[in-house]
């Protein structure tokens, strides 16, 4: 119950940001940060709670985006696009997850890297459908029975509402039987199996839920940005998403938000340094990992613990 005032304050601040900013570029950057937060929140299911290294999240993000773009440009009503995107990413996650969820540690990581590269090559070389390296432009926007958001600010409120729903669902899952099974699998897969947890099924469900989050974020990305290209869903993006999770705090919903927003905005804030911004950016990430191995979210928990002990 003590967290409700903090959540309410955070929600009020999020709703006030576009009114205070009044800058289309800043709001668009925040929109991308929100989309990244949804994708990282999905990655947290399989990596933060399930303990499995997954570099395929960017590929699911791309599948959701390209499915929406191709379908809506072909004339499919937008309201059907999220459902179609979910179907595509669920099928893809099953095709990847069923034979690989029995793998552990680095073997699974290598498999997901390979999957991401397969998806990228498919997007690049299936040029008549995906547009190849040029991407797809003039993608129809969000529209439900003729109504949809107009401008960056309205898109911001749509995305922030979607993120709020994603956080609520993630929180409910975390405190469910499935969520406890994920944590048990992460802590000790052998002990979890001895306790009656079907670890393979648990990992597969976590993998699928994470893919659905990425697919829906991809759907919204394509419809709000209205331009997509393979570069947005490459291996570099997969590493960045994992970095966001680690820097924010694996296993923490708040950490997913902080990591995604910080590492989306920070590169833009450091652009004035030219090429040197990459050096400062890298040093900042290393410093966070060294000083707070549990991520930025752990710093808040540590300060709360110190205040409690002082009291």
């Amino acid at each position: 119950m003590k967290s409700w005032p903090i959540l309410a304050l955070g929600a009020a601040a999020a709703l006030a940001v576009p009114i205070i900013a009044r800058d289309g570029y800043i709001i668009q950057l925040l929109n991308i940060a929100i989309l990244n937060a949804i994708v990282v929140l999905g990655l947290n299911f399989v990596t933060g709670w399930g303990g499995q290294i997954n570099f395929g999240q960017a590929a699911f993000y791309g599948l959701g985006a390209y499915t929406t773009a191709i379908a809506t440009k072909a004339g499919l009503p937008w309201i059907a696009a999220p459902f179609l995107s979910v179907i595509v990413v669920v099928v893809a996650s099953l095709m990847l997850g069923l034979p690989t969820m029995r793998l552990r540690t680095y073997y699974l990581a290598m498999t997901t890297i390979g999957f991401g590269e397969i998806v990228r090559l498919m997007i690049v070389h299936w040029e008549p459908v995906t547009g190849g390296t040029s991407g797809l432009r003039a993608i129809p926007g969000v529209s439900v029975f003729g109504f949809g958001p107009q401008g960056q600010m309205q898109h911001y409120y749509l995305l922030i509402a979607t993120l709020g729903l994603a956080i609520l669902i993630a929180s409910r899952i975390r405190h469910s039987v499935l969520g406890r099974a994920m944590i048990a699998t992460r802590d000790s897969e052998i002990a979890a199996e001895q306790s009656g947890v079907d670890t393979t099924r648990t990992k597969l469900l976590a993998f699928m839920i994470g893919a659905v989050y990425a697919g829906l974020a991809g759907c919204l990305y394509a419809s709000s940005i209205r331009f997509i290209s393979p570069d947005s869903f490459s291996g570099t993006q997969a590493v960045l998403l994992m970095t966001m999770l680690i820097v924010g705090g694996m296993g923490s919903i708040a950490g997913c938000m902080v990591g995604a927003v910080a590492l989306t905005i920070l590169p833009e804030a450091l652009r004035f340094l030219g090429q040197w911004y990459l050096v400062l950016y890298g040093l900042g990430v290393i410093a966070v990992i060294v000083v707070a191995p549990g991520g930025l979210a752990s710093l808040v928990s540590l300060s709360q613990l110190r205040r409690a002990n002082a009291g």
Side-chain angles (χ1 to χ4, degrees):
M1 294 299 292
K2 292 181 179 180
S3 63
W4 282 111
I6 298 175
L7 292 174
L9 183 62
L15 292 174
V17 162
I19 300 174
I20 297 172
R22 294 182 177 276
D23 186 314
Y25 174 73
I26 293 176
I27 297 173
Q28 183 175 10
L29 186 61
L30 289 172
N31 288 346
I32 295 173
I34 294 169
L35 289 166
N36 284 337
I38 296 172
V39 181
V40 174
L41 193 58
L43 181 61
N44 188 55
F45 281 97
V46 65
T47 301
W49 293 336
Q52 310 302 307
I53 303 174
N54 174 22
F55 285 104
Q57 193 73 345
F60 293 121
Y61 193 19
L63 285 174
Y66 271 90
T67 298
T68 296
I70 293 167
T72 53
K73 283 177 72 70
L76 184 76
W78 187 89
I79 194 170
F83 299 99
L84 184 59
S85 296
V86 166
I87 291 171
V88 170
V89 297
V90 165
V91 170
S93 66
L94 283 172
M95 291 175 62
L96 178 63
L98 284 173
T100 61
M101 280 300 113
R102 295 184 184 276
L103 300 176
R104 299 181 182 181
T105 61
Y106 305 109
Y107 298 104
L108 178 61
M110 293 169 63
T111 303
T112 55
I113 290 172
F115 170 73
E117 186 63 14
I118 289 170
V119 171
R120 188 190 69 82
L121 290 173
M122 181 181 71
I123 292 172
V124 169
H125 294 294
W126 200 9
E127 192 168 345
V129 177
T130 63
T133 55
S134 299
L136 294 174
R137 302 175 183 274
I139 300 168
V142 178
S143 178
V144 180
F145 304 117
F147 298 94
Q150 303 295 322
Q152 295 298 332
M153 186 176 294
Q154 291 186 17
H155 277 93
Y156 174 87
Y157 287 120
L158 170 64
L159 295 176
I160 209 74
T162 305
L163 176 60
L165 179 61
I167 291 172
L168 177 62
I169 292 173
S171 179
R172 295 295 297 270
I173 292 176
R174 168 61 184 86
H175 295 95
S176 69
V177 174
L178 176 60
R180 290 191 289 271
M182 290 179 193
I183 301 299
T185 301
R186 179 196 67 187
D187 292 343
S188 175
E189 193 166 335
I190 296 175
E193 290 174 349
Q194 293 297 320
S195 301
V197 175
D198 186 339
T199 56
T200 301
R201 175 179 173 272
T202 299
K203 289 188 291 184
L204 182 59
L205 287 173
F207 196 64
M208 289 172 60
I209 294 170
V212 168
Y213 268 62
L216 289 174
C219 172
L220 291 170
Y221 178 89
S223 300
S224 58
I225 304 300
R226 305 187 72 174
F227 167 74
I228 55 175
S229 69
D231 293 340
S232 301
F233 315 106
S234 63
T236 302
Q237 181 68 14
V239 173
L240 178 59
L241 292 171
M242 182 65 74
T243 305
M244 289 176 178
L245 180 61
I246 294 171
V247 168
M250 287 198 293
S252 167
I253 292 177
C256 294
M257 306 303 104
V258 172
V261 173
L263 295 191
T264 301
I265 294 177
L266 186 60
E268 298 301 320
L270 298 177
R271 289 291 182 188
F272 69 94
L273 295 174
Q275 294 298 322
W276 287 99
Y277 94 91
L278 289 171
V279 176
L280 190 59
Y281 177 83
L283 289 174
V285 171
I286 293 171
V288 170
I289 293 174
V290 171
V291 174
L296 293 172
S298 67
L299 296 177
V300 178
S301 300
L302 183 60
S303 64
Q304 290 176 343
L305 180 61
R306 287 175 176 173
R307 284 199 300 268
N309 290 337

